[in-house]
Amino acid sequence: MANTDKPDGFTPAYHMYGGVIRPAKMRIASSEAAASIFSGDVVNLSSGYVIQGTATGTPIGVFYGVYYTATDGTPTFSKVWTGGTATLGGDDAEALVYNDPGVVYEAQFTAGTPAVSFIGSKYTLSTTAGS
């Protein structure tokens, strides 16, 4: 039976050294107009701020979620940073990013049947609109 084609990004599976898996706090600029970032997306840094990963950027981790104060003063946690979201007073949002190199992830492989020869290979990440 074939697997369902339902990619869900990168999901932390376990820590190689038995450590605790927890995200680091990083920044997203208020009103960042670039692409939306979804939980499980690979992210890059641009001028010190988290952005959705790009094929030409250097991955720094995997996005988990974001804390910010909405413009109406509501403290908000979301697993999605919608591009262009404004925060109260234009303050930076607090991105939670898994950036520990000891974390092993699960991800759906959609390029055919994986073979043993694929182990250790590098692949280009492709991002699409999330939901």
Side-chain angles (χ1 to χ4, degrees):
M1 176 187 216
N3 290 334
T4 304
D5 187 12
K6 188 178 176 187
D8 194 27
F10 289 87
T11 304
Y14 62 92
H15 197 285
M16 289 182 3
Y17 313 111
V20 176
I21 299 174
R22 64 175 62 119
K25 295 176 183 178
M26 302 181 106
R27 296 176 178 205
I28 298 178
S30 177
S31 300
E32 169 60 46
S36 297
I37 310 170
F38 294 83
S39 185
D41 281 357
V42 172
V43 291
N44 296 351
L45 285 180
S46 175
S47 300
Y49 289 100
V50 171
I51 62 169
Q52 185 186 53
T54 62
T56 57
T58 302
I60 56 107
V62 173
F63 185 75
Y64 171 70
V66 61
Y67 284 108
Y68 63 96
T69 303
T71 55
D72 66 0
T74 305
T76 305
F77 171 78
S78 178
K79 289 208 160 191
V80 177
W81 173 259
T82 304
T85 299
T87 60
L88 184 66
D91 292 340
D92 294 338
E94 184 178 277
L96 300 174
V97 177
Y98 296 113
N99 65 350
D100 184 338
V103 175
V104 176
Y105 299 91
E106 293 179 348
Q108 184 171 4
F109 185 78
T110 59
T113 304
V116 173
S117 61
F118 293 2
I119 296 172
S121 297
K122 295 180 181 178
Y123 294 90
T124 301
L125 295 172
S126 67
T127 55
T128 58
S131 61

